[in-house]
Amino acid sequence: MSAATTRSRTPRTPRTPDRLCAEAVGLARTAAEEAAAPGVVGEHVEVVVEGDRVVTHLFECKEPGYRGWRWAVTVARASRAKFVTLDETVLLPGPDALLAPEWVPWSERLRPGDMGPGDLLPTDAEDLRLEPGYSGEDEPPPNSVAAGPAGVPGVPGGRGVLGTPDDSDLSGPSGPSRSSVPSVPSVLSGELAERAEAEDADVTPVPPAELTITPARGSLASIADELGMRRARVLSRYGLHTAADRWDEAYGAKTAMAQAAPAACVSCGFLVPIGGSLGQAFGVCGNEFGPADGHVVSLAYGCGGHSEAAVMPKPPRPAPPVLDETRVDVLPLRPDPDSGSVSVSLAGVGEDLGHS
């Protein structure tokens, strides 16, 4: 197939408008004036070619509320016909038209700082910022095998804090021998190794009292580094109290936001706890839409963005349709003569059936 044949079969829009359709300005203006109010249709702007023998006439719109809009009237002519017919009339915006902004959902329109006292911001049931917390439901009973003895979780058969047997087990002919009871190092060796690795502690082969050199982890300087106290000066108790007073005044229980809040921050999932003595009364807000995002807030503070104040339920899903594919319904092609329906032979063509 040649390139000329391919180009001839490809549909394209002609550049030159049809002469009769382009000259039908009067027909297009009459159609636009019928659709619009009197005196609204303005001057003829241009002719847009839509296809073979199909053009659109554009007229200015003089309506005060539609500045820059245009009346678009599409006309067409059939092949080898001498008359132009009307297709449609519609009001379309022009390049300088005044348009309303695109609609944005409230979940995307909300910005940090928009929440005020008394406002309630519901959270989605599957919010990616939240996950289930510890409720205690998965904790095994204290006397179950999974719980193990006190102090040694998951070790069956032991008793006491270190897993050693009681004196009653070692006395008497019926009691087990000491060789049958696992020793303390054998029971706790794996657990001690895990704890040592988790805490990054220095495990010594001999007791610390017999060491000639103090381990680095046990020095006062190392402990001070871990506690954040190896500084020239640290915050005094007076400084802690004044800082707590400022935070409580800005984001405390006496603020207008907290007074109108549905719940306190102590039960909010967006609260980030802090360490130290101030952690007993303060935390850091992690809700980006909350008024205190990134600030230290009192545990008695609250806002409408509480994670559990208003949880949006999942949209209900209708039950799937039940289709009985094992049964076949037999439908007659013609009505039964004894069913009381009108017979086909008695229904005349010009009979009045009572339809309006």
Side-chain angles (χ1 to χ4, degrees), residues 41-312:
V41 181
E43 298 295 332
H44 185 265
V45 178
E46 61 177 334
V47 177
V48 179
V49 180
E50 305 290 350
D52 292 339
R53 298 179 299 278
V54 180
V55 300
T56 299
H57 294 271
L58 300 178
F59 300 90
E60 292 182 357
C61 180
K62 296 183 178 181
E63 188 74 22
Y66 292 88
R67 184 185 63 186
W69 288 62
R70 298 174 177 179
W71 286 102
V73 182
T74 303
V75 295
R77 183 178 65 88
S79 178
R80 299 182 181 179
K82 298 180 180 180
F83 299 97
V84 178
T85 57
L86 176 66
D87 283 357
E88 63 177 354
T89 303
V90 66
L91 183 63
L92 298 178
D96 299 332
L98 181 62
L99 301 176
E102 296 183 2
W103 182 81
V104 180
W106 70 268
S107 58
E108 301 178 6
R109 187 168 58 250
L110 189 64
R111 291 292 179 266
D114 293 344
M115 186 184 305
D119 295 339
L120 189 63
L121 178 61
T123 57
D124 193 359
E126 299 180 355
D127 196 329
L128 298 179
R129 300 173 299 170
L130 300 171
E131 62 181 2
Y134 175 74
S135 59
E137 298 179 357
D138 299 336
E139 184 178 359
N143 297 329
S144 65
V145 180
V152 188
V155 180
R159 292 190 181 92
V161 176
L162 296 178
T164 56
D166 297 338
D167 294 339
S168 60
D169 294 336
L170 301 179
S171 62
S174 61
S177 61
R178 290 185 179 269
S179 60
S180 62
V181 178
S183 60
V184 174
S186 62
V187 174
L188 300 181
S189 59
E191 183 181 358
L192 288 176
E194 294 179 359
R195 290 185 178 181
E197 183 179 357
E199 297 178 359
D200 195 18
D202 291 338
V203 181
T204 58
V206 296
E210 301 179 4
L211 294 176
T212 58
I213 302 176
T214 304
R217 296 280 298 181
S219 62
L220 294 178
S222 177
I223 298 177
D225 288 338
E226 293 184 5
L227 298 179
M229 299 178 59
R230 198 175 183 183
R231 292 167 290 174
R233 289 189 295 180
V234 296
L235 196 62
S236 64
R237 183 170 296 273
Y238 173 76
L240 291 176
H241 288 175
T242 54
D245 291 340
R246 293 194 310 270
W247 298 341
D248 187 75
E249 182 179 357
Y251 302 102
K254 297 181 179 180
T255 58
M257 183 69 71
Q259 294 292 331
C265 292
V266 66
S267 59
C268 181
F270 294 107
L271 181 71
V272 181
I274 61 177
S277 58
L278 292 177
Q280 302 176 5
F282 296 95
V284 179
C285 179
N287 190 351
E288 60 177 332
F289 299 108
D293 179 35
H295 293 78
V296 180
V297 297
S298 173
L299 298 183
Y301 181 74
C303 67
H306 195 280
S307 61
E308 310 303 327
V311 180
M312 296 177 60

